[in-house]
């Protein structure tokens, strides 16, 4: 059977195609996607992202390229999203709690931690811990705190930056212990481990770049900040075990600039969720004992709205500022 199109019908069909979103024509993505990570390469975060993006690239038909933007307390990627990135889905970034906290740390205008980003997907959190050298005199967390009380400000600890989640948590612990230490901010957790091994600092209070050296005995893990004890270090107490009534995982995910089309967000979310659930990605989760803190776009945005209130109150209570 032969079908005949009139000129009017043809024009109507063409108009319909032009009106349809680019997504319906398979135009997203039609080039590589950038993911900005505001930390140096290495560690569990880097391993998970690279594995996920390798898997997702096969479904998307385009590579996802990681660009590390370390420095500025992990805020350089967020600054780029706010100031330069277009909301077309081709630039996304690792998103973490310091981004939600930043506006309350300074009198300078920065961003709306909820309204200035498009929330795509929450993934997991960090495995933080307190580690010292294997030959240090401190065998327990209690001994460490007692030493800090005896020598206020003389002992040093590193974190991945000023006003990061682990910095605030460590200051909270020290306040409860009526102890003082000197904070030495680093550009990333691996830099802190290197400084600890080199005897430039006394303690690292950061995510698990310390794991390989704890496994070999070069470092000693005194406390895990996870909700439950780590299976690989069952004798190491958690902060809850130590009586602090807290756990610290600092959930993180992926976000883009504000104003991204819902269809683009949906494509990225579905593809990345599939990659996250892939056995290769889950093997990395298991290897590094990462918590599963997955949230979809709507739930991730709701989490951000609720968490902003907590961050504002915590910064005010501890009196921390970066000005």
């Amino acid at each position: 059977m032969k079908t005949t199109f009139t000129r009017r019908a043809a024009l109507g069909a063409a108009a319909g195609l032009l009106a349809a979103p680019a997504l319906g024509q398979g135009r997203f993505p039609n080039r590589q996607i950038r993911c900005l990570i505001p930390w140096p390469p290495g560690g569990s975060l880097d391993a998970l992202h690279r594995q996920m993006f390798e898997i997702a690239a096969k479904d998307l038909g385009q590579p996802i390229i990681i660009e590390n933007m370390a420095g500025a307390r992990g805020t350089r990627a967020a600054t780029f999203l706010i100031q330069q990135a277009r909301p077309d889905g081709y630039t996304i970034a690792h998103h973490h709690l310091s981004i939600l906290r930043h506006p309350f740390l300074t009198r300078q205008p920065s961003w709306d931690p909820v309204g200035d980003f498009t929330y795509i997907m929450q993934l997991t959190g960090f495995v933080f811990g307190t580690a010292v050298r294997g030959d240090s005199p401190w065998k327990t967390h209690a001994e460490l705190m007692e030493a800090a009380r005896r020598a206020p400000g003389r002992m040093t600890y590193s974190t991945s930056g000023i006003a990061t989640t682990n910095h605030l948590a460590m200051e909270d612990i020290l306040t409860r212990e009526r102890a003082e230490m000197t904070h030495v901010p680093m550009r990333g957790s691996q830099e802190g481990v290197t400084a600890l091994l080199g005897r430039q600092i006394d303690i690292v209070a950061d995510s698990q770049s310390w794991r390989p050296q704890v496994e070999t005995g070069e470092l000693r893990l005194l406390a895990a900040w996870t909700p439950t004890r780590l299976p690989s270090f069952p004798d190491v107490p958690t902060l809850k075990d130590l009586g602090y009534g807290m756990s610290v995982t600092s959930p993180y995910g992926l976000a883009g600039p504000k104003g991204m089309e819902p269809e683009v967000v949906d494509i990225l979310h579905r593809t990345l969720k599939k990659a996250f659930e892939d056995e290769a990605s889950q093997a990395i989760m298991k290897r590094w004992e990462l918590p599963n803190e997955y949230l979809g776009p709507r739930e991730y945005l709701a989490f951000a709205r609720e968490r902003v209130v907590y961050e504002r109150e915590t910064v005010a209570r501890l009196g921390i500022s970066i000005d």
Side-chain angles (χ1 to χ4, degrees):
M1 178 179 178
K2 183 177 180 179
T3 303
T4 303
F5 283 90
T6 64
R7 181 174 183 274
R8 178 175 296 178
L11 289 174
L17 288 173
L18 291 173
L23 297 163
Q25 301 173 44
R27 294 180 183 173
F28 180 84
N30 61 11
R31 63 181 187 273
Q32 72 178 29
I33 297 169
R34 300 168 66 196
C35 181
L36 312 177
I37 297 184
W39 314 111
S44 61
L45 182 153
D46 199 58
L48 179 61
H49 281 78
R50 289 182 188 279
Q51 182 61 69
M52 285 180 55
F53 295 162
E54 180 180 333
I55 296 168
K58 296 175 183 177
D59 285 337
L60 293 172
Q62 295 291 339
I64 303 178
I65 306 301
I66 288 178
E67 183 176 333
N68 294 93
M69 303 179 71
R73 302 170 309 280
T75 61
R76 288 186 61 205
T79 300
F80 189 93
L81 290 185
I82 295 296
Q83 297 179 354
Q84 299 183 53
R86 297 179 60 185
D88 54 11
Y90 290 100
T91 303
I92 60 177
H94 167 85
H95 206 65
H96 54 101
L97 294 189
S98 291
I99 307 306
L100 305 185
R101 183 181 309 121
H102 182 79
F104 312 117
L105 296 166
T106 176
R107 293 187 296 271
Q108 299 298 319
S110 53
W111 51 69
D112 178 342
V114 175
D116 281 343
F117 302 96
T118 298
Y119 285 80
I120 299 171
M121 174 182 173
Q122 183 170 286
L123 299 170
T124 178
F126 295 97
V127 174
F128 292 112
T130 311
V132 297
R133 288 187 300 275
D135 61 359
S136 76
W138 311 301
K139 302 296 192 295
T140 67
H141 191 269
E143 292 177 357
L144 181 70
M145 292 296 112
E146 179 58 31
R149 282 191 291 269
R150 289 198 306 265
R154 291 179 58 186
M155 294 167 60
T156 54
Y157 76 94
S158 75
T159 72
S160 47
I162 297 172
T164 51
T165 297
N166 42 320
H167 176 209
L168 266 64
M170 191 64 177
E171 288 300 315
D172 192 5
I173 290 169
L174 291 169
T175 298
R176 299 186 195 198
E177 292 284 354
R178 295 182 172 84
E180 294 180 23
M181 293 184 186
T182 297
H183 177 223
V184 182
M186 303 288 181
R187 290 180 301 173
S189 58
Q190 185 58 58
E191 190 173 290
V193 169
T194 301
L196 180 60
L197 292 170
R199 299 181 184 276
Q200 297 170 311
I201 57 173
D202 298 308
I203 305 121
V204 62
D206 217 323
S207 57
Q208 59 179 321
S209 289
W210 37 255
R211 176 182 285 273
Q213 287 75 27
V214 171
E215 292 173 342
T216 62
E218 293 178 272
L219 299 181
R220 179 185 301 126
L221 187 62
L222 298 184
W225 298 9
T226 44
T228 59
R229 293 197 181 200
L230 295 170
S232 55
F233 306 114
D235 296 330
V236 176
T238 66
L239 294 179
K240 289 182 178 180
D241 292 333
L242 295 169
Y244 295 110
M246 60 189 283
S247 61
V248 183
T249 62
S250 191
Y252 64 78
L254 296 165
K258 70 176 180 181
M260 288 176 59
E261 291 291 336
E263 295 91 344
V264 173
V265 174
D266 182 60
I267 288 175
L268 288 171
H269 167 240
R270 285 189 289 106
T271 306
L272 291 168
K273 182 175 185 288
K274 179 182 175 183
F276 177 65
E277 293 172 343
D278 186 273
E279 62 181 12
S281 299
Q282 288 302 305
I284 292 175
M285 294 278 288
K286 183 177 181 180
R287 165 69 180 91
W288 292 89
E289 299 179 317
L290 301 174
N292 188 333
E293 305 214 36
Y294 162 77
L295 294 175
R298 185 178 300 176
E299 294 79 13
Y300 192 16
L301 176 60
F303 167 82
R305 287 196 178 103
E306 293 178 4
R307 185 73 189 201
V308 160
V309 176
Y310 172 85
E311 296 297 339
R312 182 192 297 115
E313 293 173 350
T314 300
V315 168
R317 177 168 54 84
L318 295 177
I320 293 179
S321 171
I322 60 175
D323 288 331

